[in-house]
Amino acid sequence: MERKVVKKKARVLAVMVVLVFAVLVGRLAYLQFFQAEKYTTLARQNHMRLIPIPAPRGEMYARDGKTKIVGNKPVYTVSLVYLGLKNTPQVAQRLAEILSIDADEIMQKLDAQKLRLYQPVKIAANVPLETVLEIEQHRLELPGVVIDIEPVRDYPLGGIAAHVVGYVRQISEQELEERKDKGYRPGDEIGKLGLERKYEDYLRGTAGARQVEVDAQGRPVRDLGISKPVPGNGLILTIDHKVQKAADEALARQIKYLQENTKHKDAKAGAVVAVDVHSGEILALASYPTYDPRVFTKFLPEETWRELVEKQAFTNRALSAYPPGSTFKMVVGIAGLETGIIDPDKKMFDPGYFMAGTRINDWKPGGHGYVDLRKAIQISCNTYFGTYALEIGIDKIAEYAGQFGLGSVLGIDLYPGEEEGILPTPESKYQLWKQNLSSEQRKQLEEIEAKYKELIENAAGEKERQRLRRQLRRERQRINWNLVWYDYDTGNTSLGQGDSKYTPLQLACYTAAIANGGTLYKPHLVKEIIDHRHRTVKKFSPEVIRKIDVAPENLAVIREGMKLVAQPGGTAYYQMKDLPVAVGAKTGTAEVFGEDNHALIVAFAPADDPQIAVAAIIQHGGHGGTGAGPVVHDVLAAYFGGELVDGKWVFPSE
Amino acid sequence: MLFRRIWRRLDYVLLCTVLLVIAFSLITIASATHITTPKNVGEESQLLFGILNLDAMSFVIKQLIWTLMGLIIMLAVIFFSYEDWPKYARALYIFNVLMLMAVIFIGKTALGAQRWIAVGPFVLQPSEFAKIIIIVTFANFLANREGKLNTIKDFIPAFAFIGFPMLLILMQPDLGTSLVFMAIMFGMMFMAGANPKLLGGIIGGGGLVGFGWLYAYFKNPGKVWIPLHDYQVDRLTIFMDPYRDPLGDGYHIIQSQIAIGSGGLFGKGIFNGSQNQLNFLPEQHTDFIFSVVGEEFGFVGTVLVLALFFIIVYRGIFIASQAKDTFGTLLAAGVVSMMVFHILVNVGMTVGIMPVTGLPLPFFSYGGSSMITNMIAIGILQNVYSRRKKLVF
């Protein structure tokens, strides 16, 4: 071959070689120069592992600051690390046998986390020691199985105050989505109800982590550092654990008693709230039906969960609104005294009914005869309060009820929050019924309203205006009878019937305000937030919602009447008579259309120097005194040092 | 005298570059086989790891021994003038075929392929040496047909000459080496003056048919027959989307790219690549050794290695153009084709632009057969170069 030809071909070959090398260098430049950061991150993710160390949740103490209501206990958890081994299904099978669960369940949990290889997947919590020992014995058959100790909620006093403390469970996907910027991870526990939820951010603590370097098999090669978990902050509650225990037990016992021994078979639910009258601190708060928070510390069968949901065990009835019945009558008394309409010593004759547009009967056929204010409270005289209510007028009554916090949210620090309740007024009634009108009627009504608004504005003189108002009232009646407020509405409201609805918490706080001379405190459950070394993080001092515009001597008269309720002849005498202190009380029996009455009672004690106020309701429990009285009795008994011995309260002799 | 003349006429640039590459390779092998001593284990275990590391150092020592053996064989190759080789061409071809058949019938199985045969205490990989034999015999074959490579009819005997041993290698199955045969064949035919248009047409057409076949295979699963096993097809195509199977077939490619990319401009330093040291990188001292270079020495390191390889290849092309006769030119062209193809496919595999075929990086991947083969190849180049002009006695 000619040398020239060879050289030419060699040049072509050289050009091709240069191209090959250029492609390789180009690709290397792309990877190592332009994409270096991305691959550096990927390499880090390969060999660095953060192993979270869960922080123990904050604990909850009773008001003495020492008695633990909610704590933590260490339990064994079993986790499985997916190592990418071929025999993982066999390991899962073997582990499932030991834990006596379904192997598919394990595989599902593993699959859900396959993308995060080498991260332990929690298979079971609260594993008994025998099972742990069995796993240790079969170590060699169970590669990747890890046993850890983790804190789990503990309830040293049993499951008391379930609706107050609430419970924790694994975070749901939705919660995770909402709180992902707060560092929650799948499998974390989170407060779902009660204080656990309300104070989640304090209780939760900060999870620690161990940073380890691992090799390609996921085996830790060395520890790179550890950040210790910071335990969550604890809560010192306002709850008195003895009173709370009495409240929990009394509710359950009384409901059982009513169902088994009386005609009130529908008595299935109830609530009781006890509050310190000088601070608004909740001493006890119980609701029934309830649940045992301990069920959430171990595996919870679906069936048990469904049962609890079906019987509404998670509803906090202390924060749900009920018609108050006669427990409302003190508001009428106070409004009457304040307006000067009621002279407390003036007696009225009760023929057994009163007229409020229509005839409203007293609960006692034939009436109570001559009664003054104190007596009227003692015997719960409908005629007395109904008659005066009409004279006082709904506006004044509603004004005082509102001042006592009835029908408004008081702002207790609990999840879920309070119902507002209903304080009936002409305006609220009008609005309520307006909503029920057909759209045609509503349009008609709006036209009339607009017309009269203009007419009244342009009217000459007060007389003309009043005439126009009466005319408007008739126009409204024509559209719907219920758009207008009537005297019997005032009568019903003053007796705590009709549309009235207040929560047991509102009733307790209202009673406390009567007892303490007219200060409405904001009810609260947490006195202090402490860190894990019991140092104060935050203190909650009593908060006054308002000083009620009422003369102390008028409240004193009301208290005297309430004291008589628990004296011979009063409606709650038999329930309260064995208590070591005098009690002020008021019973209520709220009529429920077509069903058994609700039994209510509010009380404070000692009658002459009030410390504690209590309100209780038993749904469909019949008469206030016999239906709900025993619950309040037990709460007061516990508060004043009583001990329940063989079903009888024993008080320390002085 | 003769030996001294040859000695003086060797290509020292080529030789030194090869030695530099080997030196770089030994350092990289040391790092790739270094076992990270856990720092949180007891003293006893530390000692154990020390011993294991000593064992790891033996990779370097073994490779050094292979290098020395290779150099000796290279010298032997240099001194037997290539001009005498055509005499043995027929015998070599027959020996080659017999050897490849022996692999199929008595070979050792590893990784699903029979590639090794035991010769005394050594385990050899005959397909490595087959490449050299093919270069020599095919150079002779083409030299005899100089100027007669213009039509498709002229091409067919050449294809048959290469095709028969290539088929035997494909049966092992060793797809990578059979592709090397193709590269050698086309490179040498080009240098032998084969009709460039026809040659280009065949390469382009063959490539198109191959791609079309694979495409049809993927579009109609189970309906299109292909002369490869399913797993071979998967391995061949996984580089295009390694995340299709990130823990299986795609694992090597992903981890290799992470290693190289995370090395950045200057690398993480020797013994400091987490991908390498913590064994995320598989086969890091053999097929994927270039990834270790990328991770621990960065872009600077990879470009340096490629530059050294470029010098070797460039010298090879130069030697081809300086050869005294066509046979010499073709020998050099064969060696160049083989080396370039190995570099392209191996480095291309580590950076994710070539399929994983298991071709070692010349002078760099750990392994004796490959080292000796490549040393023989260098010997051939030196042989041709040292006899570029008639020796004056």
Side-chain angles (χ1 to χ4, degrees):
Chain A
M1 243 197 295
E2 266 182 75
R3 177 130 298 197
K4 233 172 77 188
V5 178
V6 172
K7 280 201 168 155
K8 201 179 137 202
K9 291 202 179 292
R11 256 201 302 283
V12 175
L13 206 58
V15 168
M16 278 163 65
V17 168
V18 167
L19 275 178
V20 164
F21 276 81
V23 166
L24 293 178
V25 171
R27 175 70 180 174
L28 282 166
Y30 172 76
L31 289 180
Q32 301 195 286
F33 194 76
F34 296 104
Q35 297 273 295
E37 212 166 300
K38 171 186 153 193
Y39 285 111
T40 304
T41 311
L42 285 174
R44 268 187 81 78
Q45 281 172 0
N46 256 350
H47 74 106
M48 304 285 236
R49 223 49 102 226
L50 271 181
I51 299 174
I53 309 171
R57 279 178 84 82
E59 300 178 316
M60 296 190 207
Y61 296 89
R63 64 186 287 116
D64 61 11
K66 290 194 282 284
T67 311
K68 208 182 281 180
I69 296 176
V70 182
N72 296 301
K73 65 179 175 195
V75 295
Y76 293 106
T77 62
V78 175
S79 307
L80 189 56
V81 183
Y82 178 69
L83 298 172
L85 297 173
K86 285 211 177 69
N87 66 345
T88 301
Q90 284 95 296
V91 173
Q93 183 58 44
R94 191 78 189 84
L95 185 62
E97 278 166 24
I98 294 175
L99 294 170
S100 49
I101 56 173
D102 196 8
D104 291 343
E105 205 180 303
I106 297 179
M107 290 309 286
Q108 271 167 23
K109 283 183 176 171
L110 271 185
D111 281 342
Q113 209 167 313
K114 256 218 177 121
L115 286 176
R116 290 199 290 141
L117 216 55
Y118 311 122
Q119 290 257 346
V121 180
K122 203 192 283 181
I123 303 297
N126 212 348
V127 179
L129 183 63
E130 306 90 75
T131 313
V132 170
L133 291 176
E134 205 182 332
I135 291 173
E136 289 297 350
Q137 275 169 15
H138 298 94
R139 262 266 149 261
L140 289 176
E141 302 160 46
L142 299 167
V145 173
V146 182
I147 292 166
D148 276 321
I149 292 179
E150 269 185 21
V152 153
R153 273 311 200 203
D154 182 36
Y155 302 89
L157 299 182
I160 72 161
H163 287 93
V164 173
V165 298
Y167 64 90
V168 292
R169 269 193 110 177
Q170 263 196 14
I171 192 163
S172 70
E173 269 172 46
Q174 192 196 339
E175 286 166 323
L176 197 61
E177 185 60 29
E178 286 164 5
R179 294 168 158 259
K180 62 182 168 199
D181 51 341
K182 286 190 172 176
Y184 284 87
R185 308 159 57 91
D188 276 0
E189 303 230 283
I190 187 168
K192 297 273 187 181
L193 196 77
L195 296 174
E196 293 275 21
R197 170 142 180 182
K198 187 78 186 177
Y199 288 89
E200 167 71 17
D201 292 345
Y202 287 101
L203 292 166
R204 184 184 163 213
T206 312
R210 218 154 57 90
Q211 195 181 36
V212 293
E213 188 167 26
V214 296
D215 66 9
Q217 274 72 49
R219 292 174 301 211
V221 180
R222 66 183 141 231
D223 267 319
L224 298 174
I226 186 166
S227 71
K228 282 199 177 140
V230 182
N233 289 325
L235 306 177
I236 295 179
L237 308 187
T238 59
I239 295 289
D240 181 317
H241 60 280
K242 284 187 182 149
V243 179
Q244 177 69 43
K245 190 161 184 278
D248 281 327
E249 288 172 1
L251 259 187
R253 192 170 49 238
Q254 176 66 7
I255 286 170
K256 187 162 177 263
Y257 170 81
L258 289 172
Q259 280 179 16
E260 287 175 0
N261 301 313
T262 70
K263 60 186 172 63
H264 306 296
K265 305 293 178 205
D266 286 337
K268 285 171 186 159
V272 56
V273 179
V275 57
D276 182 290
V277 301
H278 297 301
S279 61
E281 291 175 356
I282 303 292
L283 298 167
L285 187 152
S287 174
Y288 190 92
T290 187
Y291 64 96
D292 188 340
R294 286 173 292 188
V295 301
F296 295 105
T297 62
K298 27 186 186 275
F299 175 71
L300 179 67
E302 186 59 36
E303 202 184 317
T304 314
W305 169 253
R306 221 179 10 250
E307 238 168 64
L308 288 172
V309 171
E310 259 164 36
K311 68 176 190 180
Q312 298 181 323
F314 302 112
T315 305
N316 189 348
R317 291 178 161 75
L319 307 185
S320 308
Y322 296 94
S326 300
T327 59
F328 185 76
K329 282 176 178 159
M330 285 81 83
V331 173
V332 180
I334 290 161
L337 290 169
E338 285 292 309
T339 51
I341 291 166
I342 292 180
D343 174 351
D345 300 317
K346 197 176 152 196
K347 286 193 164 72
M348 171 194 276
F349 182 76
D350 167 24
Y353 65 90
F354 69 101
M355 294 306 292
T358 173
R359 181 177 155 142
I360 296 179
N361 283 326
D362 202 284
W363 61 270
K364 187 176 177 187
H368 299 281
Y370 283 96
V371 292
D372 64 6
L373 176 57
R374 295 180 182 84
K375 176 92 177 169
I377 294 174
Q378 184 187 22
I379 57 169
S380 198
C381 179
N382 286 358
T383 304
Y384 185 92
F385 288 103
T387 308
Y388 276 121
L390 292 176
E391 203 176 321
I392 297 159
I394 186 63
D395 293 344
K396 275 286 162 195
I397 291 170
E399 183 195 319
Y400 281 97
Q403 284 213 44
F404 278 97
L406 297 173
S408 58
V409 168
L410 298 173
I412 192 171
D413 46 348
L414 198 55
Y415 182 91
E418 313 155 49
E419 269 183 38
E420 192 180 26
I422 300 169
L423 171 56
T425 61
E427 179 61 24
S428 74
K429 188 180 177 190
Y430 174 76
Q431 292 299 343
L432 180 74
W433 285 94
K434 193 178 160 186
Q435 279 170 22
N436 292 339
L437 294 178
S438 70
S439 57
E440 201 180 312
Q441 285 175 315
R442 204 175 306 164
K443 212 172 135 200
Q444 212 181 337
L445 180 65
E446 273 157 14
E447 277 166 21
I448 290 166
E449 297 288 346
K451 182 178 129 196
Y452 276 91
K453 194 181 172 212
E454 205 186 322
L455 282 174
I456 290 171
E457 268 171 23
N458 300 331
E462 186 59 32
K463 248 190 165 166
E464 175 67 6
R465 266 198 286 277
Q466 277 183 2
R467 193 189 64 78
L468 283 167
R469 284 202 187 97
R470 277 197 300 275
Q471 215 170 318
L472 170 62
R473 185 181 156 91
R474 277 195 296 276
E475 294 273 7
R476 284 175 175 170
Q477 274 174 329
R478 205 167 46 74
I479 292 169
N480 188 310
W481 184 256
N482 283 313
L483 285 169
V484 170
W485 185 267
Y486 301 99
D487 279 352
Y488 69 77
D489 287 320
T490 307
N492 265 338
T493 303
S494 68
L495 305 181
Q497 310 281 3
D499 292 333
S500 315
K501 269 186 171 183
Y502 310 119
T503 66
L505 178 71
Q506 285 167 358
L507 293 178
C509 291
Y510 141 70
T511 308
I514 293 172
N516 67 24
T519 308
L520 184 66
Y521 286 100
K522 184 171 164 181
H524 61 279
L525 282 158
V526 175
K527 269 170 85 142
E528 200 178 329
I529 297 175
I530 51 172
D531 69 10
H532 67 283
R533 294 200 189 109
H534 284 251
R535 289 176 306 206
T536 303
V537 174
K538 194 171 175 186
K539 258 195 155 91
F540 297 92
S541 36
E543 241 178 273
V544 176
I545 295 177
R546 72 175 68 85
K547 288 271 183 200
I548 295 155
D549 183 17
V550 58
E553 59 273 19
N554 287 342
L555 284 179
V557 173
I558 299 293
R559 282 200 298 272
E560 282 161 29
M562 288 175 79
K563 186 176 174 182
L564 290 175
V565 172
Q567 302 291 325
T571 52
Y573 168 63
Y574 286 101
Q575 287 78 40
M576 303 300 166
K577 64 181 180 186
D578 77 323
L579 290 171
V581 294
V583 175
K586 182 72 197 78
T587 56
T589 306
E591 286 167 21
V592 184
F593 183 76
E595 282 180 275
D596 207 348
N597 296 336
H598 290 331
L600 292 106
I601 181 168
V602 298
F604 59 83
D608 301 318
D609 176 22
Q611 303 297 327
I612 178 175
V614 193
I617 179 175
I618 303 289
Q619 251 172 288
H620 310 304
H623 179 255
T626 53
V631 177
V632 169
H633 166 270
D634 285 7
V635 169
L636 292 176
Y639 183 79
F640 290 105
E643 301 264 1
L644 195 59
V645 181
D646 299 329
K648 280 223 176 314
W649 285 95
V650 181
F651 296 95
S653 46
E654 280 164 32
Chain B
M1 65 172 281
L2 177 71
F3 286 160
R4 206 189 297 151
R5 296 234 165 200
I6 291 173
W7 198 247
R8 262 200 264 141
R9 296 171 66 87
L10 286 182
D11 184 345
Y12 287 101
V13 175
L14 178 62
L15 189 61
C16 289
T17 312
V18 166
L19 292 177
L20 273 176
V21 170
I22 291 171
F24 203 154
S25 144
L26 291 175
I27 293 168
T28 312
I29 288 172
S31 181
T33 54
H34 174 260
I35 292 171
T36 309
T37 310
K39 288 182 180 149
N40 56 349
V41 297
E43 221 170 280
E44 258 173 72
S45 311
Q46 297 246 5
L47 198 71
L48 190 71
F49 273 102
I51 293 164
L52 286 172
N53 262 342
L54 200 74
D55 189 46
M57 276 315 285
S58 72
F59 280 96
V60 177
I61 293 161
K62 275 189 206 159
Q63 186 73 348
L64 202 58
I65 292 169
W66 285 120
T67 305
L68 292 173
M69 279 177 67
L71 283 169
I72 292 165
I73 292 171
M74 180 189 83
L75 287 176
V77 170
I78 291 171
F79 288 113
F80 293 104
S81 173
Y82 78 91
E83 287 158 295
D84 298 333
W85 295 358
K87 280 188 260 173
Y88 312 108
R90 183 182 296 263
L92 270 174
Y93 190 83
I94 291 166
F95 169 73
N96 194 20
V97 168
L98 289 176
M99 183 174 71
L100 291 174
M101 283 179 161
V103 177
I104 292 172
F105 294 114
I106 61 165
K108 286 194 171 187
T109 305
L111 301 168
Q114 300 147 328
R115 291 182 187 175
W116 287 270
I117 51 170
V119 181
F122 294 103
V123 179
L124 293 176
Q125 206 176 336
S127 57
E128 280 294 322
F129 303 110
K131 289 182 283 197
I132 295 293
I133 297 174
I134 279 299
I135 289 170
V136 173
T137 55
F138 195 52
N140 178 54
F141 176 89
L142 290 175
N144 293 337
R145 283 168 176 73
E146 204 185 333
K148 284 182 268 173
L149 282 167
N150 296 319
T151 63
I152 194 99
K153 227 181 193 172
D154 297 338
F155 278 22
I156 287 169
F159 289 163
F161 189 90
I162 298 285
F164 182 51
M166 194 177 112
L167 214 63
L168 289 174
I169 285 177
L170 206 54
M171 277 166 71
Q172 291 185 4
D174 184 351
L175 190 64
T177 306
S178 25
L179 289 173
V180 178
F181 272 42
M182 298 252 258
I184 291 171
M185 180 179 78
F186 286 122
M188 287 173 73
M189 282 175 77
F190 172 73
M191 273 312 263
N195 182 345
K197 278 179 195 155
L198 191 56
L199 202 59
I202 287 173
I203 294 173
L208 277 179
V209 168
F211 276 115
W213 203 340
L214 271 179
Y215 187 77
Y217 171 83
F218 276 112
K219 281 287 148 184
N220 309 291
K223 286 187 193 144
V224 178
W225 178 85
I226 205 160
L228 292 167
H229 295 288
D230 280 351
Y231 77 89
Q232 286 177 309
V233 177
D234 281 343
R235 278 185 204 165
L236 214 54
T237 55
I238 188 83
F239 79 96
M240 287 184 279
D241 181 18
Y243 286 93
R244 202 170 69 205
D245 187 8
L247 295 176
D249 286 341
Y251 181 80
H252 293 49
I253 302 161
I254 293 170
Q255 296 305 329
S256 169
Q257 286 186 65
I258 291 175
I260 292 173
S262 66
L265 215 49
F266 299 106
K268 301 174 187 169
I270 189 166
F271 301 129
N272 265 331
S274 59
Q275 290 288 105
N276 169 29
Q277 301 299 333
L278 299 169
N279 297 324
F280 288 96
L281 201 57
E283 292 162 55
Q284 69 262 51
H285 63 296
T286 55
D287 288 357
F288 282 90
I289 193 155
F290 192 74
S291 316
V292 178
V293 175
E295 182 177 30
E296 300 196 342
F297 304 107
F299 187 59
V300 172
T302 52
V303 169
L304 178 64
V305 171
L306 286 183
L308 292 173
F309 275 125
F310 184 77
I311 294 171
I312 294 172
V313 172
Y314 182 79
R315 293 306 297 179
I317 295 171
F318 178 70
I319 289 167
S321 73
Q322 296 292 312
K324 186 169 60 182
D325 52 18
T326 306
F327 183 50
T329 299
L330 293 179
L331 283 176
V335 168
V336 165
S337 303
M338 177 182 82
M339 292 236 175
V340 171
F341 192 74
H342 267 262
I343 293 163
L344 171 66
V345 173
N346 182 279
V347 175
M349 161 186 88
T350 64
V351 296
I353 58 170
M354 283 282 156
V356 179
T357 44
L359 288 185
L361 190 59
F363 303 114
F364 223 96
S365 293
Y366 173 82
S369 297
S370 166
M371 175 61 81
I372 287 174
T373 305
N374 287 304
M375 281 298 191
I376 293 173
I378 296 298
I380 291 172
L381 289 178
Q382 297 285 15
N383 195 329
V384 174
Y385 188 69
S386 63
R387 291 176 179 83
R388 61 193 181 276
K389 274 180 195 157
K390 282 231 169 359
L391 293 172
V392 184
F393 289 95

